[in-house]
Amino acid sequence: MTGRSKRSGISAADLMAELQNDPEYQRKVQAAEVERQARAQVLREAEQPIVADLRAAGVEVNSVWDLVNTSDPYPAALPILVEHLERGGLPERVMESLGRALAVKPAVAFWERLKTRWLCAGGPGEEDGAAVALAACATKAQVDDLIGFLSVAERGQSRIYFIRPILSLGGDRGREVIEALRNDPVLGKEATALLKRRRK
């Protein structure tokens, strides 16, 4: 016997009922929801010029994220997305959505512009979005660039996105490059995991 008193358990339903009747908890929930809606509204307003340009080009969307979440091709949208990514000045979440919407094979036509955006990214949303776009659209012709990106230390965690395409497009050389990353403090964990998966 440890002498500790046993706590009686409370069911999920009882806990929910208790919280429903707790005015302080309900006040916090409502405040959090108001804040969430305000943030969502700011993002909606920030991306309206992009949505308007996309619609003018015949791409019917309510948000840039609609493109991220579709499997339908949208070639007419790509130059518009790149232009807005280059203009910048938008909330991080919107900048990220532009990059993620460019994460399709045909975006390789804008490789140099995407590369510049990643190298000169003004914030984490733009950095991650551009990295995702580069990783997704790369072909064997871009393997040298992808390998070079790994040494751009100031781009930090976003370099992780390049490990998979280097492995899949780089052949023996790509595998050797990724093998050499096993002990890297930033890239090692992802490199090791992907190498193990490829052996299976």
Side-chain angles (χ1 to χ4, degrees):
M1 295 278 296
T2 62
R4 285 185 305 191
S5 61
K6 289 183 181 176
R7 285 183 61 193
S8 57
I10 182 170
S11 72
D14 289 343
L15 178 60
M16 289 306 294
E18 196 176 297
L19 292 174
Q20 288 291 338
N21 296 318
D22 181 339
E24 179 62 16
Y25 174 78
Q26 289 303 316
R27 186 191 64 71
K28 287 179 180 175
V29 167
Q30 287 172 353
E33 179 58 19
V34 167
E35 189 179 320
R36 186 195 67 75
Q37 287 182 7
R39 279 197 311 267
Q41 182 61 30
V42 166
L43 295 176
R44 268 194 301 275
E45 288 172 8
E47 69 173 359
Q48 280 318 296
I50 308 168
V51 169
D53 287 350
L54 289 168
R55 287 181 174 172
V59 183
E60 287 302 316
V61 292
N62 295 312
S63 166
V64 177
W65 289 103
D66 293 344
L67 297 174
V68 178
N69 297 320
T70 185
S71 57
D72 296 331
Y74 43 89
L78 300 182
I80 295 164
L81 296 170
V82 171
E83 284 172 25
H84 282 279
L85 185 67
E86 288 174 328
R87 272 185 222 157
L90 297 165
E92 291 296 332
R93 189 78 173 134
V94 177
M95 294 300 289
E96 181 185 353
S97 73
L98 288 166
R100 289 187 179 273
L102 285 159
V104 291
K105 283 296 179 190
V108 74
F110 303 96
W111 182 263
E112 290 302 320
R113 292 166 73 180
L114 290 171
K115 177 177 164 180
T116 299
R117 288 303 352 115
W118 180 71
L119 290 169
C120 303
E126 181 180 357
E127 184 177 294
D128 264 15
V132 169
L134 288 164
C137 75
T139 69
K140 287 184 178 182
Q142 284 78 40
V143 168
D144 285 347
D145 271 352
L146 292 172
I147 291 171
F149 293 161
L150 296 176
S151 63
V152 185
E154 60 269 28
R155 293 280 69 103
Q157 292 278 348
S158 67
R159 295 173 296 154
I160 285 173
Y161 294 113
F162 305 130
I163 296 173
R164 187 182 302 271
I166 289 170
L167 266 178
S168 61
L169 300 169
D172 290 342
R173 178 180 172 224
R175 173 176 277 284
E176 285 171 18
V177 167
I178 303 308
E179 288 275 4
L181 294 175
R182 282 182 177 275
N183 296 316
D184 185 276
V186 177
L187 307 173
K189 188 175 178 183
E190 181 74 2
T192 301
L194 287 174
L195 286 164
K196 277 183 184 169
R197 214 170 296 155
R198 284 178 74 87
R199 284 201 190 99
K200 289 180 181 177

